[in-house]
Amino acid sequence: MNLKEDGILPSIATITQTVRDRIPLPSFGLEDETAFAYWLLLPALAMMFVIHLIPIVWGFLISFMAVDASYLTNWTQAPFTVDHYLTIFDWNSAVGSRFWFALRQTFVFGIGTTIGVYVLGLVTALLLNRNFRGKLAARTVVLVPYIAPAVATVFIWRMMFSSDTGIINELLVSLGLISDDIFWLVGENSIYSITIVNVWKNFPFAAIMLYAGLQSIPEQLYEAAAIDGASRWATFRYVTFPQLKPVTAVIVLLMIVWSFINFTIPYLLLGQQPSQSGEVLMLFIYNYAFQNTEYGLGAALSVILLVVAMVLSYLYYKMTMRSDVQGGAV
Amino acid sequence: MLDNDRQRSRRAFLKTAGVTTAGITLSGCTNILGGDSGSDGVIIESHHYPTGDIDQFLETHTEKFEEETGITVEYETMQWDNGKTKQTTSMQNRTGPDVGEIPSTYIPQFAALDGFENINDIDVDIDASSFFDNPTEIGHYKDEFIGIPWFWGPRAHLSYTPPLKEAGIEEPPSTWDELVQKGNAFNEKNPDEHLFGIPAQENVSHFFADFLWQNGETLLTDDNTKAAFDSDRAVEALNFYKDLQSNHSVMPKSTAEWKGDARDNAFTNHKIQSTWASLATVDTFLEADDISESDIEISKLPAGPNGESATFYGLELVGIHPWTDHPEEAAEWLKYLARPEVNAEIAEMTGFLPSVKKSFEQERFQDPVWQGFKELTSTGKTFPQVDGWSQVEGIINDAVSGVLVDAATGKWSEGDTRKALEDAAKQANDELE
């Protein structure tokens, strides 16, 4: 077949047909089209199997094995045990008490991040959606926190949060909002400081996604709202916001999952020995299990984290997708 | 013609073979007659952790050692992050370097894996009594001499004397009461500065151990099976530590969020005039500012009401792995490292103290700073050598740091210290079981 018939590039369908004609693939009793679709999916599925499934299964297996320093090189010889899970679910044990507290703090971190990122992202997207001079430059500047290297930016935040020399306390004192220095990096406030930095780091992602969503809302809906005499707030509430629902769902889902598995920001901002308030699950797993070469225990903690994140994601997805309201673009 | 050529080449071959055989035989005789030892040409591998200018030290001394003995030492510096895992893996596979560095807190785990040979079983005369007593005790784990002490770092009470003298403080504090009195006296004259400061967010367990020992208590019971850091004396020690920042204003409250670098920064910027630190901090202080060494005073840490001056030290040892094919050569390398002049150099390059007593006789160690640190060698103590200690240390860090932060943020109330230590002791006992 001449691929450049009449000087026009062939369509995907033509290429597909050519491949099917030249390479006969078994259809295993399925319809030709269906079988071919599975064959096309095979490479991706194989990669997913190697990259995702094997480590998950491996981690799950290790979580039931007493793999510690003494079984580092012959982990298959480690005895099977349910002790890791029993210890984690025992509130009175060192691991158990710290795990459940860390899980609670992870929820605070995840929910705080999601709300902060969404609100700040939405405000930014609405501002970017207006016509003004320098819009392109503004759109680029907004992306800076998201694309700047985390190590450099988080260390700058660390300096800003310092209780006696940081600019944040300086500012709050000069505005008369506080009289005594606040400790941001230790104690109860450490969970808020990692949340603030995480919001700052991720809000550009939400802003750009929501901006794309705003751009795809049909103009006719706004015209109809204007004819009906809707106020600006009513237009936002009954037109803009519902139309952004699918993109909102994606942002919320990603923020919850990303926050649950975020290690970089808590580690860089609070260091290896954070106050209990700032010890989110990822940091706890790293500190307690992997630093002490307790790989079996670390795997068990990670499995629970995975289950919690999956359940949350599933519930949220079910909740948002059940609604009849479907919006513009994702 | 061709035959002639063949005959010539055969003759040449025989000649070459003859000369080679004679050479090999003669060199063998030379050995028997007392020439070079059989170690000549032996290569041993040695793994270390990246402390100070250790690479420079190893580069210089592996060369010198090879010149003297003919033994080549190939070295590698591991990272602190993954060094322990690397060493553990090596011990399980029974392959890897011939010689390895041993941070003292890893000893129980390494010993459980039979990671280091008993040096007494190797035919080499390393005199264990040439080392300071405290580190030598650590190097003998369960009656086996598993590693020679290499360098160690007791913490001293460092004072920058000019501002103290201006405030009428002539001597460093020798007791807890004096620390408070002098701290208040200094603070009265310098309201924006503090007498003293130690970090609460890095190695806080080391400082807690200092206060605990100074008050006559131990971290674990004598048999190392139970936590002892929740006793009345331990509570008193932690409360005193806490009060230095929250009640007495001897330390700034911001120490609650300090790590080591913040402490060094505060010391070099004269926000605090004294601290507890190793020689490395003295070096940083002297490098950062145009300060004369004579303005620094090194003294023992103060004693508590129920005890005496005590200070935490970290220790690095060097040992021989049992799977080595060259135990004698590896032991020769250790013996070389234990020479006073060589040991002095590693101490100087890493900012710690030499482990060999005679190293202090070197000319360079005669100044007051080094001699001051030498005085601390008798008061040095380190963590118990027990499996699971790293978990226990983490638990202590959390508890102590929590109390200090609560005190700094005004959230501490009576009974909190005891509760924090009792909870921590309970968790530590679970880990030690």
Side-chain angles (χ1 to χ4, degrees):
Chain A
M1 192 191 82
N2 181 9
L3 284 178
K4 279 197 169 182
E5 242 170 64
D6 303 328
I8 301 167
L9 283 172
S11 67
I12 294 291
T14 317
I15 297 172
T16 310
Q17 192 54 51
T18 312
V19 173
R20 287 172 68 183
D21 292 344
R22 293 198 179 172
I23 311 167
L25 296 166
S27 57
F28 301 109
L30 295 167
E31 268 183 38
D32 253 17
E33 290 288 319
T34 316
F36 187 65
Y38 280 123
W39 277 109
L40 288 178
L41 281 173
L42 188 65
L45 287 176
M47 290 299 283
M48 295 261 293
F49 181 77
V50 173
I51 295 168
H52 289 134
L53 202 66
I54 290 180
I56 290 173
V57 172
W58 193 352
F60 186 72
L61 262 180
I62 288 178
S63 75
F64 286 100
M65 295 168 82
V67 183
D68 57 14
S70 52
Y71 289 101
L72 211 56
T73 54
N74 54 344
W75 66 272
T76 49
Q77 307 298 312
F80 273 87
T81 176
V82 288
D83 279 359
H84 302 318
Y85 288 97
L86 293 178
T87 315
I88 295 167
F89 287 101
D90 177 5
W91 288 66
N92 295 320
S93 70
V95 185
S97 62
R98 281 177 64 183
F99 171 79
W100 291 105
F101 190 79
L103 183 64
R104 196 189 86 173
Q105 294 308 92
T106 310
F107 269 98
V108 175
F109 178 56
I111 292 167
T113 297
T114 309
I115 293 171
V117 162
Y118 187 76
V119 171
L120 204 56
L122 184 61
V123 171
T124 312
L126 289 168
L127 289 172
L128 288 176
N129 202 35
R130 298 166 79 100
N131 286 324
F132 58 93
R133 280 180 70 184
K135 190 173 164 178
L136 185 66
R139 232 163 46 193
T140 313
V141 169
V142 161
L143 275 177
V144 168
Y146 192 63
I147 56 175
V151 175
T153 52
V154 174
F155 273 108
I156 292 170
W157 272 103
R158 210 183 138 71
M159 287 158 75
M160 285 163 50
F161 275 132
S162 168
S163 70
D164 54 348
T165 55
I167 195 167
I168 292 174
N169 274 352
E170 200 80 24
L171 195 72
L172 293 174
V173 170
S174 64
L175 290 173
L177 294 172
I178 57 168
S179 52
D180 281 338
D181 287 340
I182 293 178
F183 286 90
W184 292 99
L185 299 171
V186 293
E188 286 177 356
N189 292 328
S190 52
I191 187 69
Y192 304 124
S193 58
I194 56 171
T195 309
I196 289 169
V197 177
N198 205 27
V199 167
W200 175 84
K201 184 90 189 123
N202 286 300
F203 89 88
F205 171 78
I208 293 300
M209 293 276 284
L210 289 164
Y211 175 67
L214 287 171
Q215 295 274 302
S216 65
I217 298 174
E219 197 56 36
Q220 297 93 308
L221 294 178
Y222 289 109
E223 285 166 8
I227 291 165
D228 290 345
S231 64
R232 287 174 77 173
W233 168 245
T235 309
F236 175 76
R237 193 178 161 190
Y238 296 108
V239 178
T240 310
F241 197 64
Q243 289 294 311
L244 289 175
K245 200 166 181 185
V247 77
T248 300
V250 172
I251 292 168
V252 171
L253 201 65
L254 284 178
M255 281 309 129
I256 290 174
V257 175
W258 287 354
S259 303
F260 265 69
I261 58 168
N262 194 326
F263 175 77
T264 319
I265 287 173
Y267 184 78
L268 291 175
L269 195 69
L270 306 179
Q272 211 184 321
Q273 291 169 2
S275 295
Q276 234 194 337
S277 160
E279 193 174 53
V280 288
L281 260 186
M282 285 299 287
L283 213 49
F284 170 67
I285 293 171
Y286 173 77
N287 277 341
Y288 196 85
F290 293 104
Q291 285 293 87
N292 294 325
T293 51
E294 293 279 357
Y295 295 108
L297 180 63
L301 291 164
S302 306
V303 165
I304 297 176
L305 174 62
L306 176 78
V307 171
V308 170
M310 278 176 68
V311 167
L312 268 181
S313 308
Y314 175 76
L315 288 177
Y316 178 74
Y317 198 73
K318 283 286 279 183
M319 219 165 65
T320 46
M321 290 303 142
R322 198 178 48 197
S323 169
D324 299 334
V325 186
Q326 293 296 322
V330 174
Chain B
M1 177 75 181
L2 201 68
D3 277 349
N4 277 348
D5 279 347
R6 263 190 202 150
Q7 270 178 353
R8 257 202 303 273
S9 69
R10 197 180 298 148
R11 217 173 288 144
F13 170 73
L14 287 170
K15 221 190 273 177
T16 315
V19 169
T20 312
T21 314
I24 292 169
T25 315
L26 277 174
S27 69
C29 287
T30 321
N31 274 349
I32 292 163
L33 294 170
D36 274 346
S37 73
S39 300
D40 214 4
V42 167
I43 299 172
I44 56 168
E45 207 182 317
S46 191
H47 282 193
H48 299 277
Y49 283 91
T51 312
D53 294 328
I54 206 163
D55 276 311
Q56 201 188 326
F57 169 85
L58 289 169
E59 197 181 324
T60 311
H61 284 280
T62 50
E63 223 167 84
K64 283 187 183 170
F65 181 66
E66 188 172 359
E67 275 168 24
E68 272 184 34
T69 61
I71 303 167
T72 307
V73 178
E74 289 179 349
Y75 66 89
E76 185 187 317
T77 37
M78 304 171 286
Q79 293 307 308
W80 283 106
D81 280 355
N82 62 359
K84 189 181 177 189
T85 311
K86 246 180 142 174
Q87 286 189 289
T88 310
T89 310
S90 175
M91 284 168 204
Q92 284 175 348
N93 287 332
R94 314 309 284 173
T95 57
D98 306 273
V99 172
E101 190 173 323
I102 320 169
S104 57
T105 45
Y106 300 171
I107 289 176
Q109 195 177 329
F110 288 173
L113 294 167
D114 187 25
F116 287 92
E117 185 74 70
N118 183 357
I119 295 170
N120 290 333
D121 291 346
I122 302 170
D123 187 21
V124 64
D125 55 332
I126 294 176
D127 179 14
S129 67
S130 65
F131 302 102
F132 282 102
D133 294 342
N134 291 345
T136 308
E137 255 177 55
I138 305 296
H140 285 79
Y141 185 73
K142 292 187 177 167
D143 297 330
E144 289 200 357
F145 188 15
I146 59 152
I148 61 156
W150 201 18
F151 54 87
W152 58 320
R155 273 68 165 162
H157 184 93
L158 315 179
S159 307
Y160 178 55
T161 51
L164 298 180
K165 282 178 182 158
E166 269 176 35
I169 299 168
E170 296 294 329
E171 297 286 324
S174 60
T175 62
W176 285 4
D177 287 343
E178 275 184 34
L179 181 61
V180 175
Q181 282 160 15
K182 287 173 195 274
N184 290 336
F186 182 81
N187 205 231
E188 266 173 36
K189 293 200 173 174
N190 306 274
D192 297 329
E193 294 170 19
H194 292 84
L195 174 76
F196 179 66
I198 46 178
Q201 292 302 318
E202 198 170 73
N203 298 329
V204 70
S205 53
H206 299 179
F207 297 113
F208 171 60
D210 286 335
F211 286 108
L212 190 84
W213 292 325
Q214 287 162 13
N215 206 27
E217 190 49 273
T218 54
L219 287 157
L220 302 183
T221 50
D222 289 344
D223 56 359
N224 281 347
T225 55
K226 293 262 178 233
F229 57 77
D230 57 342
S231 65
D232 288 346
R233 285 183 180 187
V235 173
E236 188 183 7
L238 183 51
N239 275 336
F240 177 74
Y241 183 3
K242 163 192 78 67
D243 286 343
L244 287 178
Q245 61 163 28
S246 55
N247 277 356
H248 307 310
S249 297
V250 177
M251 294 201 292
K253 277 189 180 175
S254 56
T255 52
E257 66 176 18
W258 282 5
K259 288 175 185 282
D261 55 351
R263 182 269 313 276
D264 289 354
N265 192 277
F267 192 44
T268 48
N269 289 313
H270 311 305
K271 284 188 177 174
I272 55 169
Q273 313 306 333
S274 59
T275 185
W276 294 350
S278 68
L279 256 171
T281 300
V282 179
D283 293 342
T284 312
F285 189 56
L286 293 174
E287 275 167 22
D289 217 338
D290 190 20
I291 289 166
S292 158
E293 214 173 290
S294 59
D295 289 336
I296 299 263
E297 187 170 0
I298 311 294
S299 52
K300 285 182 181 177
L301 274 55
N306 300 301
E308 52 189 11
S309 171
T311 181
F312 172 86
Y313 68 81
L315 166 70
E316 294 295 303
L317 307 104
V318 192
I320 299 167
H321 291 297
W323 56 82
T324 178
D325 292 329
H326 308 291
E328 277 84 18
E329 287 81 1
E332 278 302 320
W333 171 233
L334 262 55
K335 195 177 164 189
Y336 175 86
L337 293 176
R339 286 184 194 173
E341 68 279 11
V342 179
N343 187 240
E345 215 170 310
I346 185 66
E348 211 178 10
M349 289 178 119
T350 52
F352 287 95
L353 293 194
S355 55
V356 177
K357 289 182 233 170
K358 274 195 170 177
S359 301
F360 271 103
E361 289 172 12
Q362 304 283 312
E363 185 62 36
R364 65 187 113 164
F365 292 154
Q366 300 314 308
D367 65 54
V369 170
W370 282 97
Q371 288 299 315
F373 270 95
K374 192 186 171 193
E375 291 298 308
L376 302 169
T377 53
S378 59
T379 61
K381 289 173 187 252
T382 195
F383 286 147
Q385 309 296 303
V386 58
D387 213 7
W389 177 256
S390 58
Q391 284 93 327
V392 174
E393 196 183 336
I395 292 165
I396 294 175
N397 276 330
D398 281 347
V400 175
S401 174
V403 168
L404 296 176
V405 170
D406 282 352
T409 52
K411 300 212 163 49
W412 183 90
S413 54
E414 199 62 46
D416 284 359
T417 306
R418 183 173 296 279
K419 186 176 181 316
L421 289 181
E422 280 176 354
D423 289 348
K426 215 169 135 194
Q427 292 178 356
N429 287 339
D430 288 345
E431 294 293 343
L432 293 168
E433 260 175 19

